[in-house]
Every structure is written in C-alpha cells, then in structure tokens.
Amino acid sequence: MAAWLVRRAARRVAGELRGRGPGPWSLSSSTVPVLGVPAVDQSRAFCSVRRFAGDSAAAAAVEEPENGLAAGGLQCVDFPGGKLSFVGEMNFLPESQTERINCYRVLDDDGGTIYNSRFQEVSKDLALKMYSNMVTLQIMDTIFYEAQRQGRISFYLTSNGEEAINIASAAALSAQDIVLPQYREPGVLLWRGFTLQEFANQLFGNKLDYGKGRQMPIHYGSNRLNYFTVSSPIATQLPQAVGAAYSLKMDKKKACAITYFGDGGTSEGDFHAALNFAAVAEAPMIFFCRNNGWAISTPTAEQFRSDGVVTRGQAYGIRSIRLDGNDTLAVYSAVHTAREMAITEGRPILIEAMTYRVGHHSTSDDSTKYRPADEMEHWRTARDPVSRYRKWVQGNGWWCDTQESQLRNNVRQELLQAIQVAERMPKHGLAELFTDVYDQIPSNLRQQERSLLDTIKRHPAEYPADVPV
C-alpha cells in the first residue's frame, strides 16, 4: 500500500510538471524529481541496477531495490542500452523544438561589437594578418575566376561571401592540427603559408604542381602544411578526418583534426557515420559545416526538416554551436574554444556557420537560374564579411584607406605575376599518369600507357602540344 501511494504521488508531480509546458532543452536537461531523494542525488536515482559484469570480486554490482523500484517508487530496468525509468503515459518526442537554436554573434552589421558579447581577444598584429588574408582571398577569387572565363584554366570555384569562415577558422588552429577540406576552403591553406604561386601552379597543372597535373583545378593539397588534398566526392573526408583525429589521440598529440563541409554534405551517409564514429571514439576533432543555404541548386528547405545542422550534433552526443559565419570574431572565438575543448577533453565538436554563397557554385554553374540576382547582390554588398570586419579593424585605429589601396594593388600585381609564371611553366609528361600508385607498375597499366601513346601518334592534332609524350 505504501509503495502504491508513493507511485501515485510521483505520477502527480510528473503531471504537474508536464502541465507547465516544455522548458528549454539543454545537453544536460533536468529530469522529473524523485520523491524522497535530495536534489543533488537525483541523477543517480533513475536506476540503481548495474549490468552483470562477471564473477570476479572486482565486478561487484549494485543490488536492485526491492520490487524493481527506484527510490520514489519509479520502476526501472538497467537495459544494455542504458539505465531507464518507466512512465505510464505514452509520449512521443516532438519533431522539432518550439524555438530555433540561437546563433552566436560578436559583430553587428556595422562592425561594432555587440554589448556583453563574449569573444576571444585578438591582438592588432593578428587582426591585421587576418584582414589582409581575407582581402587576398577575395582578390585571388576574382582574378582566377576571370582567368577561367578567358580560357586560361579549365575550372574554378570561389569562396565569395565565406572569407571569414576560411581565414578566421584557420587563425584559431595550430600548424600541427590536421585539415581535411571540402573544396571551398583555400583560405585555410593561404593562412598556413601556401603561396599565390603555388595556387597558380596547381590551377595550371604545370611541372611545379604537387599533384603533377592529375587533379582538376582547385584540388589543392600540401603535406608540408598538414592539408589533405581536396577530394570532389561529397563528405568522403568526414570519416577519414575522424580516423586522423583518433590517431592524434593515440599518439597523445596536443592537436586536433578539423574537417569542412557544406550543408549538402550533411545529406550524405558519411556525415552520420562520421559523427557517430567521433562521438564513440571520443576523437579530438572539429566538424565545421558551412551552411550557405544551397547544395549547388538545392536549397536547405529541400534537404532536411530539422533546425539546420546544429541539432544533429546533440542527437549523436556531440557538443555543438551555431554561429554567424560572416562574423570574423565569432568564427575565430568559437573555433579557438572548440579546439581547446576537443584536445583537453578528448571530444568532437560540431560547428554550424550560417552564411551565404555569394558567387555561383563554380564556373560550371549559373545560380541566377535558381535564386534571384538581387538576393545575391544584397549579400555581396550589405552583408559582405570582409567589409564588416574592416569596419571593426578600422574602428580600432589599426587601418586606413591608404593601407587598403596599397594592399589591394600589391596582391593584384603578385597574382598577375604568378599566373604568367605558371602559364609559361612546362607540363608534366604523360608518363606521370601511371606513377605514384604502385611501387612497380603492373602490366595492365603498362599496356594502357602503350595504347595511349599509340593513339596520340595516330591522332596528334587531338592532343595538346605542350604536354610531353
């Protein structure tokens, strides 16, 4: 009788709490209070049963309370999947939260810091380096894009509108951290020391291209700078990044891995496998999602019904944050903090950066076919991350119009010179198509090489004359 009264009282308390409406959901949300148990101990009162762990003396188990009841009369069982208490009501979790996850921001649209905003302090030297790299990336995209339109390179892809994501995230990392990019993060490589000449060499596929001309343009990579070569298939780099992060953990390195991907990448199975893999392995890594609203021509509204990407981290037990991807200080502060948590606590972190892809998806795309041109123009002018950050830097008295003009002129001249050098540089020979995979080239590849050379001899006009045979 006493146990029945206790259970009845517990149900009444639970009903009263439900009647108050749902409260804010957090990673460590509170549970229904258990009667007779102090508040500080309620986290242990759900179930005191422990799974059978063996016959050894070290495998002592906590005894199950009488009648399978936890303190307060709530029935519970220690399932292999977790300790759970039971309720008599049938409640389905809602498909979404009543309110969307907030977006972390430091700078307002005019480049001023928001009152009471918390962010990582940035020195003058660091701030100016970040700004000059953002400007360099912006000019680099403009000139290389024009070079493709002139027919001098075959393909290009810009980072217009996402300069803050590129440079600020890179600035918050260390040189020992491993980067597995998607394809819209050349600014990370620029920050790490990849020269404009090295970018041009890759785009033209000349003899100084580290990929020996075998990759399509913008597929950069640098072993020296811990930057894995870009791979076109979407999201394949995510589980690879978890493996890299886990290796850092095994070697007890004070470093993490970071992988970048777009909102479209979260629709791939590799995204879900990687998040679960990282959470279970407790890998020190950062998942950085650039949610720019479009997976080429597919808007996010047609990709998922959840509140963006940030909520998916919680589903896999991963600490997550949403931020303004056009806010340089917000990106820098969040990545700086995420890196510290990933390394010191041994955990993955998910960052969703809200932004907008100002340019076309690539030189093969015309985005005016699926989104209004005035929308693109609004984001290019009113919400440009480079201009916004410049206002903050200039507001601190660290920058002026004369420095701006000089920087832009110098970068433009250096780029034009790099293109001229890269264009004149000889190409790799056709024999390089068959190297760097096998130690000894197998007979089938030798046969393919002979067949290719024979075809070129029979049809010389169909092949470029500047590629050595």
Side-chain angles (χ1 to χ4, degrees), residues 16-210:
E16 290 174 356
L17 290 174
R18 283 192 299 273
R20 298 173 187 170
W25 200 95
S26 64
L27 198 59
S28 57
S29 58
S30 60
T31 59
V32 177
V34 179
L35 297 181
V37 180
V40 293
D41 294 325
Q42 287 177 17
S43 61
R44 300 182 177 181
F46 266 102
C47 189
S48 58
V49 180
R50 186 179 301 165
R51 289 199 303 276
F52 182 70
D55 296 325
S56 67
V62 178
E63 295 182 0
E64 181 180 357
E66 186 180 359
N67 299 324
L69 302 178
L74 293 180
Q75 195 171 29
C76 67
V77 168
D78 187 12
F79 287 103
K83 301 177 182 180
L84 301 171
S85 60
F86 298 117
V87 294
E89 295 80 5
M90 181 168 54
N91 294 318
F92 290 86
L93 294 175
E95 66 280 5
S96 62
Q97 302 178 85
T98 56
E99 296 183 3
R100 299 201 67 181
I101 300 295
N102 292 328
C103 187
Y104 170 60
R105 197 184 205 195
V106 176
L107 296 178
D108 59 26
D109 290 340
D110 296 321
T113 54
I114 297 173
Y115 178 70
N116 276 344
S117 59
R118 297 169 56 190
F119 62 95
Q120 188 72 28
E121 293 294 333
V122 178
S123 67
K124 177 182 176 180
D125 289 343
L126 179 59
L128 292 180
K129 183 181 178 182
M130 289 167 66
Y131 180 69
S132 63
N133 272 257
M134 291 171 70
V135 171
T136 301
L137 178 60
Q138 194 176 59
I139 298 173
M140 185 176 85
D141 278 344
T142 299
I143 292 180
F144 283 144
Y145 190 91
E146 292 172 351
Q148 193 281 332
R149 288 303 191 229
Q150 295 167 2
R152 301 167 80 175
I153 58 177
S154 61
F155 179 82
Y156 194 69
L157 184 151
T158 70
S159 304
N160 297 144
E162 301 181 23
E163 294 89 351
I165 287 174
N166 273 251
I167 302 304
S169 66
L173 301 171
S174 78
Q176 289 71 43
D177 296 330
I178 298 175
V179 179
L180 286 91
Q182 188 180 18
Y183 43 58
R184 213 176 295 277
E185 299 86 22
V188 178
L189 197 51
L190 176 68
W191 177 270
R192 291 193 161 206
F194 210 67
T195 66
L196 297 181
Q197 188 64 62
E198 288 175 303
F199 280 111
N201 291 338
Q202 197 284 326
L203 293 173
F204 283 88
N206 62 32
K207 205 172 183 74
L208 294 182
D209 169 30
Y210 302 129

Side-chain angles (χ1 to χ4, degrees), residues 232-255:
S232 283
I234 301 300
T236 55
Q237 75 275 15
L238 270 65
Q240 298 165 4
V242 182
Y246 192 65
S247 71
L248 292 173
K249 177 180 179 178
M250 293 178 67
D251 292 339
K252 294 180 171 53
K253 299 286 184 64
K254 296 297 181 182

